[in-house]
Amino acid sequence: VELYSTLFKAKKIVHYLDTLAQLQEALGELNDHVVAIRLLEEVAQGSPPKVVARISEEIEHRHSTRLKKLRKAWKLFSKQKDFWN
């Protein structure tokens, strides 16, 4: 999209790219969540259960926050009009 941005009116494309960036950031954070769970599962073997539980709780708490962020970003992005029309 950015490659062709010079072909379109800046005002139309700037907001589109901003909302797209927010969506990409939210999706990236959710990917980080998935990776964190997998890594915790790998390193948790042999670790004290209380430590693993605490880290797992923190990961899950952040997940709900990230889901809210994704929903908001998706809502904003889905309302965008096609800048190329």
Side-chain angles (χ1 to χ4, degrees):
V1 173
E2 292 172 350
L3 176 67
Y4 301 106
S5 64
T6 57
L7 301 175
F8 304 98
K9 293 182 182 178
K11 189 175 182 179
K12 285 186 173 185
I13 199 167
V14 167
H15 197 268
Y16 183 90
L17 290 176
D18 286 345
T19 58
L20 179 59
Q22 290 175 31
L23 181 60
Q24 288 175 320
E25 182 179 331
L27 289 168
E29 289 178 0
L30 283 172
N31 184 63
D32 292 346
H33 170 81
V34 171
V35 171
I37 291 171
R38 287 185 184 158
L39 290 174
L40 181 61
E41 289 171 356
E42 288 180 24
V43 299
Q45 296 174 351
S47 299
K50 287 184 181 181
V51 172
V52 174
R54 177 64 185 119
I55 294 171
S56 181
E57 288 171 12
E58 183 62 27
I59 291 171
E60 290 306 316
H61 171 72
R62 291 181 182 180
H63 181 67
S64 63
T65 302
R66 290 173 175 157
L67 279 176
K68 288 177 188 175
K69 185 176 180 178
L70 175 62
R71 286 184 190 108
K72 181 179 177 183
W74 180 256
K75 186 176 180 179
L76 288 173
F77 183 74
S78 66
K79 290 180 180 180
Q80 293 303 301
K81 294 181 180 176
D82 299 337
F83 64 86
W84 52 89
N85 290 328

